[in-house]
Amino acid sequence: MINYDLSESDFALCFPSSPEVGVRLLFFMLVVTKLCLGLGLSVLCSFPSTSPLSVKDMDTSSFPQRIGVVGYGHLGKYLVERILKDGDALGLTLAFVWNRNSDKLKGFVPDELILGDLSSFADRRCDVIVEVCHPRIVREFGFLFLSQSHFMAGSPSALSDPDLNQKLRQAARLHSRTLYVPSGALWGGQDIQRLNDSGALKALFIRMSKHPSCFRLTGDVLSDWTEEEGRRVLFGGSVAELCPLAPNNVNTMAAAAVAAGTLGFAGVRGEIVSDTALRDHHVVEVEVTGTNGFSVHTVRRNPAELGAVTGSATYNSFWNSLLACKGHGGRVYLC
């Protein structure tokens, strides 16, 4: 066993004042830096007559991003498989996978990548941590994740809690990290965000219709459904009120509320509809109202199996969101 016995500032690489020598050493420096990062060591580079430059400030696009995945349901499994299969070519590598029941990971995830205790996530030195399991994880670990890495919250319905929302925004600014909110099944999210940022967004309404077997609701709102009943409106009101009722079903609405920041969760209106005719797809309708009579109405039909919380097209949407997590500063970013 080799004992490196290195301090926290493991190496200090300095550029000499002679440009000829500096050019000759540039390649060596990049090789050593990559080796250090691969070993989980920190690197400090300094230049003559300048302040020390952390490797965070260097262009590290040639180094793979270390991704931690929290949750191994259908969506988590999809992301893990894509990273293991395509990650090398895209500059991604898997740092860890955590699941409440770690037995589900055996045989699918290499043993060295299984994280038994989520509270030890910092040991894996991630660039981005992706949550795809439950809003509870966002509430309990979101602040901690942002203190160490960028964080993609796959359950943004947790942000309907104004205190948590503010706390995570502050953490992102404090640590210069990005809180990413994936658009999921939301169509035109960045257009909504641009309209909001211009001050022209006046109202936003979203309706999500699914087969009753696809809903995961708190309470007994849907305990009495039958295959013959057809269409039933389950709830209509603010997204802030809706998120606690259907935390696993309305993340698309939560993403819209993030995009429509001036309206927020209390100002964006939502409706969930149970429809037994929707046996092979979900329907997401978005109505945007702007100034001077401007309006947009979109209808998205997302293929989905019976009982599936997430439509099949949303999987690839999450993957594309992950590829966009390149660090956008201390802010919230819809991707």
Side-chain angles (χ1 to χ4, degrees), residues 250-274:
V250 296
N251 288 311
T252 296
M253 295 186 183
V258 172
T262 56
L263 300 176
F265 283 81
V268 175
R269 312 300 291 177
E271 183 178 277
I272 53 174
V273 177
S274 167

Side-chain angles (χ1 to χ4, degrees), residues 35 57 67 81 94 111 133 147 156-157 198 209 253 273 291 325:
L35 174 62
D57 302 313
I67 310 298
E81 290 176 349
L94 197 59
D111 289 345
C133 53
S147 71
S157 60
S198 72
S209 303
M253 295 186 183
V273 177
T291 56
C325 295

Side-chain angles (χ1 to χ4, degrees), residues 81-94:
E81 290 176 349
R82 286 294 301 267
I83 295 171
L84 291 175
K85 177 184 176 183
D86 304 324
D88 285 346
L90 295 169
L92 304 179
T93 187
L94 197 59

Side-chain angles (χ1 to χ4, degrees), residues 302-314:
N302 193 356
E305 297 179 357
L306 277 178
V309 173
T310 304
S312 58
T314 305

